[in-house]
Amino acid sequence: MINYIIRRLLYMIPLLLGVNLITFVLFFVVNSPDDMARMHLGQKYVTEEAVSKWKSERGYDLPLFWNDEQEGIEKVEETIFFEKSVGLFFLNFGRSDNGRDIAADIGQRMWPSLAIALPSLIVGLLVNISFALLMVFFRASRLALWGVTLCVALMSISGLFYIIGGQFLVGKLLMLVPISGYDTGLAAIKFLILPVLIGVVGGIGSGARWYRTLFLEEIEKDYVRTARAKGLSETRVLFTHVLQNAMIPILTGVVVILPLLFMGSLLTESFFSIPGLGSYTIDAINMQDFAIVRSMVFLGSLLYIFGLLLTDISYTLVDPRVRLS
Amino acid sequence: MVVYWTDGLIFFLVIMIVLLGWRTAGKEHLRRPWRKVAENRMGMVSLVVLLFFVTIGLLDSVHFYPDLEEGSAHQSNEAISLFDEWVTPIRVQDEKSYSAPFANRLFAKEMVELTDGQVVWDYPRLHYGGAHLHDESRKTADIIGLAGKGMLHGLAIWLLAIPLIYFLKQRTLKGVGHNLIPIFKGETVLPLRAIALTFLFLSILTCSAAELALHYHIFGTDKVGQDVFYQALKSIRTGLMIGTLTTLVMLPLALSFGILAGFFRGWVDDLIQYLYTTLSSIPGVLLIAASILMMQVYMANHEEQFASLALRADMRLLFLCLILGITSWTGLCRLLRAETLKLREMEYVQAATAMGVRRSVILVRHILPNLFHIVLISVVLDFSALVLAEAVLSYVNIGVDPTTNSWGNMINSARLEMAREPVVWWSLAAAFTFMFTLVLAANLFADSVRDAFDPRRAAD
């Protein structure tokens, strides 16, 4: 087990290196720092001095991979790649293009993101599983057919409509909760209800349909037939035997996204103006702050790869038949 | 005549599909799953709706420079499409600003000069919407009358079309009444009644919408007075482009890498696996955002390459498809690799190897055709997801060009309109109606294709 984890952790290194290289090529090779500077300062009427000042303030005035002017190890160290990309491995995100400390911003903003994402996940999971179980319980009946059709219809509505519609209905017409905003501590709850609710409703379509197929696959298996032959009631079979076994793929599917919960949701956070990492990323994209976008890409990949590792470990925990080697 | 990049590619795709269909039609074992799709009522109804959208999208993809007409400000040297030509009335009948659906007056009050020279603070009449009305109280009756006229047209077209199709198929009109009875009783193997009724519905809807659109703005007008119905119709092309061209980019990558990894194994497999694990571990939206940002910088610095606004918007749409394709091939590649691993151990592949068939021939003859169902299922499933993704990306400002008509851009602008008092809801409603119809039809069709092609579902 320990061996396996160590090996997997080592495998993360080339993966992250690859991610790093891709983002580096995207941000610095496809377009030179000169282009970025011009983009920020405006296309026309920009003097050379202004461009080089912008670059040197942000440390973009070094060579990309190899610095001929320096001596020894500094040939490699005094380059954009070393300064901007290698630092990411040690979670050293540097400063954003307008001078703020990115690491501090992330540390501060990940908690509101989590405050929305975690309740949405848990409530969503409960709702989806119950809905899917109901559809399986009434399978091959008109009710289940309508349930599946409802799921497909819900799936076909863009997430944007859920947010806009929810804000309009609950926030503006019924005036139950504030439309957007955020507060610290317990006062945040009234701002969180609506985003969580919308997150749950928006996810029912695809979630419940997916869980339904998992349950249906499980219900074909031999142990279910045995259980029925023993004379157990259908409810008992469904809610204990099938549910427990189908929880394996469901839970492992959830574990993958657990670390990514910190990243928050781009749409929800920006619509509800919640100061989380999602709205941070959107703002960075809109302001074309490349340093922040680069950091978020790296952080997201890191968390995802970490989630994959957690998934493998959780398999061994919930399913004794799986052994890691 | 002017061919944009996306126009050319979409027609290339259409030709490919036609060729594929022609090949399939000759082979019984390939036709069987398709017949299963054709017998599915839900699948065929949604296919008719999809084809309706595709027709509009394709008509909107044939561009040309219109002849300059005298005294018309609209016809400059901007290329328009066949579809634009067809809907010219709603394209050029711009109002001053917001107006509600079926309104005959503007949404906001203005200073209006009456005929006797008096100036009052009132809602001014629209230039086009309901301009033919002398007596405004008769508006409802007028609308109902126009809609009824359109419905009759639609019904007439449908009634004429059925014997025509019958004649084209049977080369005679003999026994048309007799042979149509089982269709209307719903006793045919193919769900012909459902298809015919969908056609009826669509033709009535189109005709009454066309009739009404000549005199009113069905979905109102937007901030600069453009007809929202026209925008929603134009957005169909954008949605279809994103959904299909992305596939064109994604397929070669996924197919070649997936087959190579599965067939050759060893270091090729390791390398390709590493490649797709790396790519798929970057969160999709962020990778797209990063690529689009970089593209914007590139475009800003190479303005001379993108001569006209339309060309620029077209290139951006193409780039978006390219980027979406590059970020989304990994999932399909993984599936194809697994299936190839399974297939290469099959006895017929071993037999071919034993008989000295070259590896390239084995790949093309024995492996590739057996991967077809996976490719097809994932392509139709991806389509609706991509149409939905376009809206989200446009909202984050990393989607299509702001000047391109798209549902994402409509929703984006509707966000501010929803905060107005009273609410301007029609842009959002139009985008919702069209998008929901397209995506729902695509989802239902994808379901029927999956049921027919997936061997695991073939049993039931």
Side-chain angles (χ1 to χ4, degrees):
Chain A
M1 185 73 178
I2 300 294
N3 263 339
Y4 176 81
I5 294 176
I6 290 174
R7 218 171 44 208
R8 282 296 301 262
L9 283 175
L10 286 179
Y11 185 57
M12 280 171 78
I13 295 173
L15 280 182
L16 285 174
L17 210 64
V19 171
N20 212 323
L21 209 63
I22 291 176
T23 46
F24 183 78
V25 168
L26 257 179
F27 280 94
F28 291 106
V29 182
V30 176
N31 293 289
S32 65
D34 276 32
D35 295 336
M36 279 194 266
R38 290 226 169 75
M39 186 92 188
H40 265 269
L41 300 169
Q43 288 301 312
K44 283 157 192 160
Y45 319 117
V46 168
T47 55
E48 278 302 315
E49 292 90 66
V51 170
S52 48
K53 181 161 170 281
W54 189 89
K55 274 162 56 184
S56 68
E57 272 171 10
R58 289 160 183 80
Y60 292 151
D61 52 350
L62 301 166
L64 287 180
F65 288 105
W66 190 255
N67 196 342
D68 264 338
E69 292 164 14
Q70 301 290 331
E71 289 298 314
I73 187 77
E74 301 219 317
K75 272 184 191 293
V76 182
E77 275 184 359
E78 289 284 307
T79 58
I80 294 182
F81 183 71
F82 191 84
E83 296 239 312
K84 299 287 171 191
S85 279
V86 178
L88 291 177
F89 279 107
F90 309 102
L91 296 185
N92 172 16
F93 295 110
R95 295 192 166 274
S96 71
D97 283 351
N98 52 23
R100 289 176 61 90
D101 185 11
I102 298 180
D105 274 351
I106 291 178
Q108 191 188 1
R109 278 169 166 264
M110 61 194 233
W111 301 113
S113 286
L114 198 66
I116 288 194
L118 200 63
S120 307
L121 180 78
I122 295 170
V123 178
L125 209 58
L126 288 176
V127 171
N128 291 350
I129 290 179
S130 332
F131 193 38
L133 270 178
L134 277 179
M135 279 195 287
V136 174
F137 188 71
F138 293 106
R139 65 185 174 283
S141 74
R142 204 156 270 268
L143 208 60
L145 184 72
W146 281 109
V148 178
T149 317
L150 182 70
C151 280
V152 178
L154 285 177
M155 260 171 71
S156 307
I157 299 174
S158 168
L160 293 165
F161 290 116
Y162 285 112
I163 299 177
I164 298 177
Q167 270 186 332
F168 186 70
L169 195 74
V170 182
K172 201 168 168 186
L173 286 186
L174 303 176
M175 304 224 206
L176 294 178
V177 289
I179 291 184
S180 67
Y182 196 70
D183 208 340
T184 47
L186 279 179
I189 289 180
K190 69 170 191 275
F191 292 102
L192 291 180
I193 295 173
L194 188 56
V196 169
L197 183 77
I198 288 173
V200 171
V201 173
I204 286 181
S206 51
R209 211 166 88 112
W210 166 237
Y211 294 156
R212 175 181 161 269
T213 40
L214 290 180
F215 288 135
L216 283 182
E217 245 170 57
E218 207 63 34
I219 222 162
E220 301 287 313
K221 294 203 171 144
D222 288 342
Y223 72 87
V224 177
R225 201 185 308 144
T226 316
R228 287 202 190 116
K230 278 197 309 194
L232 292 186
S233 68
E234 183 64 23
T235 10
R236 188 85 194 278
V237 171
L238 206 59
F239 289 95
T240 51
H241 293 65
V242 172
L243 183 60
Q244 270 186 15
N245 282 287
M247 280 316 271
I248 295 175
I250 294 178
L251 280 185
T252 44
V254 167
V255 170
V256 158
I257 55 168
L258 275 183
L260 284 175
L261 291 182
F262 285 106
M263 298 288 287
S265 144
L266 296 184
L267 287 183
T268 315
E269 285 180 18
S270 84
F271 265 102
F272 290 98
S273 38
I274 286 158
L277 281 184
S279 53
Y280 188 54
T281 316
I282 290 232
D283 290 347
I285 292 172
N286 284 336
M287 290 186 312
Q288 313 212 323
D289 193 321
F290 302 98
I292 296 179
V293 178
R294 217 175 51 236
S295 311
M296 296 310 288
V297 168
F298 187 79
L299 188 66
S301 318
L302 185 72
L303 292 175
Y304 177 77
I305 295 172
F306 188 59
L308 286 182
L309 177 66
L310 284 184
T311 314
D312 284 352
I313 296 173
S314 69
Y315 262 122
T316 56
L317 297 182
V318 291
D319 190 348
R321 285 169 301 180
V322 177
R323 292 225 166 71
L324 301 174
S325 54
Chain B
M1 187 74 182
V2 50
V3 180
Y4 289 124
W5 271 96
T6 47
D7 294 348
L9 287 172
I10 196 85
F11 280 104
F12 172 71
L13 200 69
V14 170
I15 293 169
M16 295 290 282
I17 291 171
V18 170
L19 280 180
L20 202 70
W22 181 63
R23 223 181 99 84
T24 311
K27 298 206 167 102
E28 179 54 32
H29 66 284
L30 295 179
R31 264 165 65 182
R32 205 169 43 97
W34 282 115
R35 211 157 41 222
K36 211 169 156 188
V37 176
E39 284 166 15
N40 184 327
R41 188 152 45 113
M42 200 65 115
M44 286 319 273
V45 169
S46 44
L47 181 65
V48 173
V49 177
L50 271 184
L51 284 179
F52 182 70
F53 275 95
V54 170
T55 315
I56 294 181
L58 287 182
L59 280 178
D60 204 7
S61 301
V62 185
H63 288 92
F64 61 93
Y65 290 110
D67 299 327
L68 275 176
E69 275 175 40
E70 276 173 60
S72 167
H74 279 277
Q75 312 233 320
S76 57
N77 47 1
E78 254 176 65
I80 63 166
S81 70
L82 271 185
F83 180 74
D84 286 332
E85 177 77 19
W86 186 43
V87 297
T88 300
I90 60 170
R91 180 167 57 94
V92 297
Q93 292 180 353
D94 287 353
E95 304 292 347
K96 207 165 163 193
S97 181
Y98 289 120
S99 69
F102 292 111
N104 56 338
R105 287 180 176 268
L106 268 185
F107 189 61
K109 282 190 176 178
E110 267 182 20
M111 285 298 195
V112 189
E113 198 180 333
L114 298 177
T115 38
D116 54 2
Q118 205 185 349
V119 177
V120 289
W121 181 245
D122 197 9
Y123 301 103
R125 283 289 291 261
L126 296 178
H127 294 301
Y128 299 99
H132 63 293
L133 289 174
H134 294 298
D135 178 10
E136 285 177 56
S137 57
R138 287 186 42 79
K139 194 173 84 173
T140 322
D142 185 56
I143 290 172
I144 293 172
L146 285 172
K149 196 173 145 201
M151 276 181 185
L152 285 180
H153 280 183
L155 190 67
I157 291 176
W158 185 72
L159 285 176
L160 284 177
I162 284 189
L164 190 71
I165 293 170
Y166 182 83
F167 178 75
L168 288 177
K169 189 132 190 285
Q170 305 283 337
R171 299 273 160 211
T172 169
L173 270 178
K174 219 161 63 186
V176 59
H178 178 70
N179 284 329
L180 287 181
I181 289 171
I183 294 181
F184 285 100
K185 281 187 174 166
E187 288 166 352
T188 44
V189 182
L190 300 180
L192 289 177
R193 180 172 65 169
I195 296 175
L197 286 179
T198 318
F199 264 117
L200 176 66
F201 180 70
L202 285 177
S203 104
I204 284 181
L205 206 64
T206 316
C207 287
S208 17
E211 202 67 51
L212 285 169
L214 282 176
H215 302 286
Y216 292 96
H217 299 288
I218 297 182
F219 278 108
T221 53
D222 71 351
K223 194 173 181 183
V224 292
Q226 224 191 5
D227 193 290
V228 173
F229 185 48
Y230 172 69
Q231 291 177 351
L233 284 171
K234 287 286 280 182
S235 306
I236 292 175
R237 176 178 183 267
T238 315
L240 287 177
M241 288 288 174
I242 302 266
T244 50
L245 290 189
T246 304
T247 310
L248 204 63
V249 178
M250 176 193 81
L251 269 192
L253 286 171
L255 262 178
S256 51
F257 283 138
I259 293 182
L260 287 180
F263 193 71
F264 290 107
R265 300 201 291 195
W267 65 269
V268 181
D269 191 16
D270 288 341
L271 189 72
I272 291 172
Q273 274 200 62
Y274 169 71
L275 198 65
Y276 71 60
T277 320
T278 311
L279 259 183
S280 63
S281 61
I282 304 177
V285 183
L286 289 179
L287 186 58
I288 295 168
S291 315
I292 296 272
L293 277 184
M294 288 305 112
M295 184 200 72
Q296 278 173 351
V297 176
Y298 180 83
M299 280 185 144
N301 287 308
H302 298 80
E303 250 171 26
E304 67 284 353
Q305 287 180 18
F306 309 101
S308 72
L309 218 61
L311 193 65
R312 202 180 144 93
D314 183 64
M315 281 318 272
R316 184 153 167 178
L317 179 62
L318 189 65
F319 268 123
L320 186 64
C321 294
L322 200 73
I323 291 164
L324 281 172
I326 290 174
T327 49
S328 64
W329 59 272
T330 51
L332 179 60
C333 182
R334 196 183 308 236
L335 290 178
L336 290 177
R337 173 182 165 272
E339 187 70 12
T340 312
L341 275 177
K342 215 178 346 169
L343 286 176
R344 75 190 293 276
E345 304 300 331
M346 288 282 179
E347 273 141 5
Y348 57 84
V349 176
Q350 286 176 1
T353 320
M355 284 193 284
V357 180
R358 267 180 296 136
R359 285 210 274 197
S360 52
V361 178
I362 293 182
L363 276 182
V364 177
R365 275 267 170 78
H366 300 294
I367 307 271
L368 195 59
N370 288 308
L371 295 173
F372 180 70
H373 67 279
I374 297 184
V375 173
L376 188 78
I377 292 171
S378 92
V379 165
V380 287
L381 279 180
D382 279 356
F383 177 81
S384 48
L386 285 168
V387 175
L388 289 178
E390 185 273 325
V392 173
L393 292 179
S394 295
Y395 169 74
V396 194
N397 282 332
I398 49 176
V400 294
D401 198 79
T403 59
T404 311
N405 283 308
S406 89
W407 292 312
N409 284 338
M410 285 171 75
I411 299 170
N412 201 355
S413 58
R415 193 191 172 191
L416 291 175
E417 293 168 358
M418 291 299 280
R420 282 173 66 109
E421 197 65 48
V423 179
V424 176
W425 49 270
W426 42 88
S427 265
L428 195 71
F432 175 80
T433 314
F434 278 79
M435 218 168 138
F436 180 67
T437 316
L438 178 63
V439 175
L440 185 65
N443 272 333
L444 291 173
F445 181 64
D447 270 2
S448 75
V449 168
R450 191 171 51 173
D451 285 344
F453 279 86
D454 195 339
R456 280 182 305 173
R457 291 166 180 247
D460 43 69

